[in-house]
Amino acid sequence: MLRWAAFPILLVAAALAAWWPPARWTLLLWVPLLLLAVYDAVQRHHSLRRNFPLIARVRWLFEALRPFLYAYIVESPLEGRPFARTERDLIYARAKGDLDAHPFGTELDVYSDEYEWMSHSIAPAVAADRTQRVKVGGSQCTQPYSAALLNISAMSFGSLGAKAIEALNLGAKLGGFYHDTGEGGLSPYHRMHGGDIVWELGSGYFGCRDGDGRFDPARFRDAAQSDQVRMIEIKLSQGAKPGHGGVLPGPKVSAEIAATRGVLEGHDCISPAAHSAFATPIELVEWAARLRDLSGGKPVGIKLCVGQPHEIYAVMKAMIETGIRLDYIVIDGAEGGTGAAPVEFSNSLGMPLREGLIFVRNALVGCGLKEEIRLAASGKVHSGAGLAVNCALGADWSNAARAFMFSLGCVQSLKCHTDECPTGVATQDPGRQRGLVVPDKADRVRRFQAATVSALWDITAAMGLETPWQIQPHHLHERLNSARSDSIDRIYSFFPRGILLDDPDSVRSARYWAMARADSFRAVF
């Protein structure tokens, strides 16, 4: 009887409403519901609605409400994914300038494998010069850049709305750190407030492409020589969907997005899986050198999520053979990603940040290149402790994406790919963007970055060190199980300088070094 319960209930309700004059207005409710139940009973697409007319729709109601009910009522402060409530609360507090202290001790289980810690000192250091920054750009770069310890990672105009881009760039301007454009191109909203820009070039070459979608040197030169563009970043892959291209459907390619990306309005916007400007490691570094010349001598680097280890070694060999140096490398972890991605890619492809960062650090140090080439980390960093961990693993600075989205007011509704972001951050809907007030949110961006970097300096001083770049792997400890822990340098291998050139067979990754060649990304067996 439950299957058809909607019909007698609605018929009785409609009859009573028709019989009792004060309730007749409710017929405006009961009659449409009755018609909807009839439609459910005869439609052929959904078996549950066909078997349980109208009643089955309650399931979809609770499915829609489930993420919110779970997030606000069920889950504990430590359970939320991808960011736990405690992590988001820290970002919100710092962005607002509220108290960010935590009472009554840690809520973490310090005897579980989730716990790690930095070694503090009996003799904390005297406060150092906290304005120190990272010089990016080696001897082949004529316009080096001084980078902050925490910057805004790649998020494109198109995935984020115009006001979110504006607020991020204004926040970067106010706080003196950089804003990565993402592969979607250099939009007017990136330029509006004059904040430092790192222009990311993906395989679509948006903003510097010709009519066939290939790299256009003249268009690149004209934009890259802007004083606001401080560095160039070649995107090889990203943590959310490494090795995967993308399509922005034609209906979403507005006039603004078309003008920014250099594509046709209303036509599908394609990001190929691979670059057309190069096909080998040598061609990659030669193209990087060309970009550096076209930009007027600005630093040029690459960003990637580490996949096949021999490919990293191939890039190292290409730099050694040609004498061309990249200025920096940004490592994106498989846990990163602000945009939508196929579930199989986000869950099953790519090396997590920790392993990727250590591997590339070892490649640079093992080839004697670390002094020339800076290394940055991008992947789920949100706190001073996270910055300290990245420094211990070899990073010179860190970038964050989702943490800065939280500073704008993101509530992790996971609607980024639907254009229905409730806070106006990840949407092109003007009505939803109305809730995002640029000056207010820009100040939140500035405060979050400043407080987080300040926390890194506090941790550094507590460790008895003068700068974050003195943090070493032996300062970071990780629990292996409830009875054992060790410093990170005894868990992972950290190469001494030059070992890949002097004695490559002595390292655990010797087989990958042997597979690598400068003239091909394919492995040699």
Side-chain angles (χ1 to χ4, degrees), residues 232-298:
I232 309 300
E233 185 172 288
I234 303 169
K235 175 197 162 186
L236 302 180
S237 60
Q238 65 183 91
K241 47 183 176 181
H244 190 276
V247 179
L248 186 64
K252 292 187 176 181
V253 182
S254 66
E256 277 189 319
I257 292 175
T260 295
R261 298 194 177 197
V263 298
L264 295 175
E265 180 182 356
H267 288 69
D268 289 349
C269 180
I270 309 294
S271 295
H275 280 262
S276 59
F278 59 87
T280 70
I282 287 178
E283 289 177 359
L284 166 60
V285 298
E286 288 176 342
W287 189 54
R290 187 184 184 197
L291 294 178
R292 189 158 46 213
D293 290 340
L294 289 170
S295 68
K298 295 176 181 179

Side-chain angles (χ1 to χ4, degrees), residues 40 58 73 113 161 183 197 220 262 273 293 318 357 369 449-450 453:
D40 283 349
V58 176
I73 298 175
D113 58 9
E183 69 171 314
I197 286 293
F220 171 79
D293 290 340
L357 186 57
L369 297 173
Q449 193 270 355
V453 172

Side-chain angles (χ1 to χ4, degrees), residues 297-457:
K298 295 176 181 179
V300 176
I302 59 174
K303 183 188 87 170
L304 76 159
C305 176
V306 178
Q308 299 192 38
H310 77 272
E311 295 175 347
I312 301 298
Y313 285 155
V315 175
M316 301 298 139
K317 288 185 175 182
M319 287 192 285
I320 292 169
E321 287 190 20
T322 62
I324 298 169
R325 299 290 185 260
L326 298 169
D327 293 297
Y328 66 98
I329 299 174
V330 178
I331 301 304
D332 202 6
E335 63 271 40
T338 57
V343 174
E344 294 87 350
F345 278 74
S346 59
N347 286 352
S348 304
L349 261 70
M351 196 177 287
L353 177 63
R354 178 162 299 186
E355 284 84 354
L357 186 57
I358 292 172
F359 188 86
V360 178
R361 176 264 178 208
N362 282 342
L364 290 170
V365 173
C367 291
L369 297 173
K370 184 65 171 68
E371 293 84 359
E372 299 178 73
I373 301 170
R374 297 290 180 245
L375 183 60
S378 175
K380 210 177 178 181
V381 65
H382 74 283
S383 68
L387 297 179
V389 167
N390 288 343
C391 288
L393 301 179
D396 294 297
W397 79 87
S398 295
N399 296 334
R402 288 172 291 183
F404 279 104
M405 289 175 68
F406 289 133
S407 75
L408 290 175
C410 167
V411 294
Q412 196 169 274
S413 65
L414 305 183
K415 296 284 188 180
C416 310
H417 60 302
T418 66
D419 206 35
E420 296 177 357
C421 171
T423 56
V425 175
T427 178
Q428 302 302 310
D429 183 341
R432 292 175 183 268
Q433 289 190 50
R434 179 183 176 277
L436 201 157
V437 180
V438 170
D440 173 67
K441 302 304 183 186
D443 211 35
R444 287 173 54 133
V445 168
R446 176 195 62 79
R447 280 196 296 261
F448 163 69
Q449 193 270 355
T452 304
V453 172
S454 178
L456 169 62
W457 282 101

